[in-house]
Amino acid sequence: MPLLVDGRRVRLPQSAGDLVRAHPLLEERARLLRGSISILGSDDATTCHIVVLRHTGNGATCLTHCDGSDTKAEVPLIMNAIKSFSDHTRCGRLEAHLVGGFNDDRQLSQKLTHQLLSEFDRQEDDIHLVTLCVTELNDREENESHFPVIYGIAVNVKTAEIYRASFQDRGPEEELRAARALTGGPMISIYDAKTEQLRIGPYSWTPFPHVDFWLQQEDKQILEVSAYRLGTSLAPGSLSVEERVDEIAAAFPTVSVEGATRRPC
């Protein structure tokens, strides 16, 4: 039987270098094995959803934490992140995994599930939905209150295994990045797969209205609001996050807290 790569017969003899140049898919998979990143993950998803999109041909993997703020813009960004590595790959397919949300009273989870499925369905490429553990499928009830079953997941980019996960180390400047999320910043990519570097910022946000009011509230009230939308581990630090927002607002005053003025951090 002939030796094939990506459905094409391999011409022998030739050096390993010539073989890789003739079949770029081999180089992509070798780079994947040599890469310094093995696991991608996110947690603290309450009403939020965690999305994993993976190309089975070359292993390119994108993991995203979506909160529903701009799903229409975010899904194409996820698609482009994968396609930048797999446009010329003819074998394999795009596989999607969605996890998160629960039966919340305001139906934010239901809305986000519908948005994500609809936007993926609108894409030109075929996308195979492999995992769907969202909203009512990820819901548990305790003392007449609803909670997510799974708050976080991780994916092994080399084996494609997906499993439940939580993380203690959330990287540099956690409070500053959380402050940006709290004030409604758009989704950004923080990892450059080609250079294998973690890059955060610079970025900007709209002024956070009424931050002084929140800083005057009891810790319990802040924790309840933060945990509902942003997850359990962010809640204990929410006060320091909001203090960081107030600190930045003082350093970069704006004309109107309701305006569209944006200040760099």
Side-chain angles (χ1 to χ4, degrees):
M1 299 294 290
L3 183 63
L4 305 175
V5 175
D6 197 15
R8 297 164 52 196
R9 184 167 184 174
V10 176
R11 293 184 179 181
L12 298 173
Q14 58 179 316
S15 68
D18 290 338
L19 187 59
V20 166
R21 282 187 286 273
H23 301 277
L25 178 61
L26 293 177
E27 183 178 10
E28 289 182 359
R29 287 185 170 169
R31 187 184 304 116
L32 178 65
L33 291 174
R34 299 193 309 264
S36 58
I37 298 296
S38 298
I39 305 295
L40 298 176
S42 185
D43 62 0
D44 283 343
T46 51
T47 58
C48 298
H49 290 18
I50 302 172
V51 177
V52 175
L53 185 65
R54 187 175 190 274
H55 193 282
T56 62
N58 64 2
T61 306
C62 178
L63 184 144
T64 310
H65 193 120
C66 298
D67 65 1
S69 58
D70 194 359
T71 306
K72 187 174 182 179
E74 292 170 356
V75 169
L77 291 176
I78 298 171
M79 293 292 297
N80 290 336
I82 294 298
K83 291 170 66 175
S84 66
F85 289 92
S86 56
D87 269 349
H88 62 276
T89 303
R90 292 177 296 177
C91 72
R93 66 181 192 176
L94 291 169
E95 293 185 346
H97 309 263
L98 277 65
V99 178
F102 67 108
N103 280 333
D104 62 280
D105 294 338
R106 290 182 287 175
Q107 296 190 336
L108 298 173
S109 301
Q110 292 88 335
K111 180 180 178 181
L112 180 53
T113 296
H114 175 73
Q115 288 175 345
L116 285 168
L117 293 175
S118 297
E119 289 305 320
F120 275 116
D121 186 57
R122 291 190 180 99
Q123 303 305 304
E124 295 180 355
D125 301 87
D126 290 337
I127 303 168
H128 299 261
L129 183 61
V130 177
T131 303
L132 187 68
C133 184
V134 296
T135 314
E136 61 265 30
L137 300 176
N138 189 45
D139 182 83
R140 65 181 177 87
E141 189 173 354
E142 183 178 329
N143 297 327
E144 299 183 353
S145 295
H146 291 265
F147 303 90
V149 176
I150 300 174
Y151 287 89
I153 62 171
V155 54
N156 187 314
V157 299
K158 299 179 180 179
T159 67
E161 178 188 7
I162 296 177
Y163 49 89
R164 294 171 66 167
S166 60
F167 304 90
Q168 294 181 344
D169 185 355
R170 288 176 168 77
E173 292 288 356
E174 179 183 358
E175 291 179 359
L176 184 59
R177 291 186 289 114
R180 176 190 173 278
L182 192 64
T183 54
M187 184 179 72
I188 58 173
S189 175
I190 63 171
Y191 180 70
D192 188 332
K194 293 182 178 179
T195 62
E196 296 189 354
Q197 291 183 333
L198 183 69
R199 294 181 177 178
I200 302 173
Y203 51 74
S204 58
W205 62 52
T206 54
F208 185 35
H210 315 305
V211 66
D212 292 334
F213 167 81
W214 285 107
L215 289 173
Q216 294 171 4
Q217 305 308 302
E218 297 291 334
D219 288 353
K220 181 180 178 181
Q221 175 68 14
I222 295 177
L223 297 184
E224 288 176 352
V225 173
S226 300
Y228 186 83
R229 184 63 189 266
L230 298 174
T232 54
S233 73
L234 180 56
S238 294
L239 186 58
S240 60
V241 168
E242 291 175 356
E243 287 174 342
R244 191 64 179 272
V245 174
D246 197 36
E247 173 188 333
I248 294 169
F252 299 98
T254 56
V255 175
S256 171
V257 296
E258 302 297 338
T261 305
R262 303 176 71 88
R263 295 295 185 184
C265 63

